[in-house]
Amino acid sequence: MIYIHKKQTPDFLRKCQSDPQITFKTMHGSDKQNLRHSLCEEQNELCAYCMKRIRPVESGMKVEHFDPQSHEAGNDLDYNNLLAVCDGKISSGFSGSTCDTHKGDRTLYISPLNPDVESMVHYQANGIIIASEKLPEEIQSQVDADLNDILNLNHVWLQRNRKAVLEAYKLQIAKHGRGKGKLPESFWKSEEAKYRLGSRRNQEYKGIILDYIAIKRKRAKS
């Protein structure tokens, strides 16, 4: 999970918002398709929670309301409340599901809309995501509950996928840095840029790579 920079509300959605008769459920099909494209582009075609690859079509993603529609807060068309997520393995039953499918109508403490979200989590080498040890114990408990109980982000298939992505990245870096000694902070800064907005911005499960880069960059500065 990484921070999602929300853009301005698209014009087509503003038009929907201006009509009191239109809700998310009654939106025209073409508007929902435009919404999928906007959200997917904004998130580099990665699920807001697990960072699995998604596609901007009905069969390739879901539109998630971070604050659930059932709360009747009047924000079901609020662009700042909308995220693109994967199907959460909906066919696997509740225990095998993840992300929004597992979350349902429950609320989260942690949020990909929070600029500090990346500092609130840490990825272990085995692919498990946990609350950062730098957080107060009470907050750690809330974050861990969100990650495990509400989003089920440590389901074995996600853990394995993240681990594989990190191991592949480490192998790539080992080949790049062979014989060069300790890689400088400038190298890690460049690597981060690739995964933020550059050529690797669409990398699945890139949260674990960015976490690894952040650690390496900090050590290179010292």
Side-chain angles (χ1 to χ4, degrees):
M1 186 185 298
I2 65 171
Y3 174 52
I4 294 172
H5 299 259
K6 296 298 291 184
K7 299 179 181 178
Q8 290 187 343
T9 302
D11 290 340
F12 74 87
L13 189 56
R14 288 187 185 278
K15 291 180 180 179
C16 292
Q17 293 170 345
S18 67
D19 187 337
Q21 301 300 315
I22 297 178
T23 65
F24 180 76
K25 292 181 179 180
T26 64
M27 280 178 72
H28 193 277
S30 60
D31 286 327
K32 280 195 175 180
Q33 184 56 33
N34 287 334
L35 180 59
R36 294 186 192 101
H37 276 283
S38 293
L39 294 173
C40 266
E41 181 181 11
E42 185 173 68
Q43 297 174 201
N44 297 309
E45 298 189 340
L46 299 175
C47 172
Y49 295 133
C50 73
M51 310 203 78
K52 175 186 176 182
R53 184 73 44 75
I54 55 177
R55 296 177 296 113
V57 294
E58 188 172 6
S59 61
M61 61 161 281
K62 295 168 63 179
V63 176
E64 148 82 324
H65 290 75
F66 184 75
D67 183 30
Q69 296 179 75
S70 61
H71 289 188
E72 299 182 356
N75 59 0
D76 69 328
L77 292 181
D78 180 357
Y79 192 65
N80 291 318
N81 189 46
L82 302 177
L83 299 168
V85 296
C86 67
D87 68 0
K89 284 191 171 289
I90 195 169
S91 61
S92 300
F94 181 75
S95 62
S97 66
T98 68
C99 304
D100 169 58
T101 300
H102 199 80
K103 169 179 174 275
D105 289 343
R106 292 177 289 177
T107 57
L108 292 167
Y109 177 84
I110 195 170
S111 168
L113 301 174
N114 181 348
D116 297 323
V117 64
E118 293 176 47
S119 66
M120 298 173 72
V121 299
H122 170 63
Y123 295 85
Q124 298 178 335
N126 60 4
I128 290 179
I129 181 173
I130 61 173
S132 170
E133 294 181 353
K134 297 179 181 179
L135 295 172
E137 287 187 13
E138 180 181 348
I139 302 301
Q140 282 188 46
S141 296
Q142 288 180 288
V143 172
D144 278 329
D146 282 355
L147 298 174
N148 294 297
D149 302 333
I150 298 184
L151 295 173
N152 201 20
L153 292 186
N154 282 317
H155 189 286
V156 63
W157 72 274
L158 285 176
Q159 178 188 340
R160 288 173 179 169
N161 288 346
R162 287 192 294 257
K163 179 182 178 182
V165 164
L166 180 60
E167 289 180 344
Y169 180 71
K170 286 181 176 179
L171 182 60
Q172 171 191 330
I173 295 302
K175 292 179 179 178
H176 177 88
R178 187 170 294 162
K180 297 182 180 180
K182 183 179 179 181
L183 293 169
E185 191 268 340
S186 59
F187 171 82
W188 295 111
K189 182 178 180 180
S190 175
E191 283 295 290
E192 180 182 358
K194 291 179 185 177
Y195 285 88
R196 293 286 183 195
L197 298 172
S199 59
R200 304 307 302 273
R201 63 187 182 278
N202 301 111
Q203 170 67 54
E204 277 191 301
Y205 312 112
K206 68 178 182 180
I208 194 169
I209 294 178
L210 286 169
D211 188 60
Y212 178 78
I213 290 173
I215 293 171
K216 288 292 188 179
R217 188 176 174 184
K218 183 177 180 180
R219 289 176 179 172
K221 284 183 178 180
S222 59

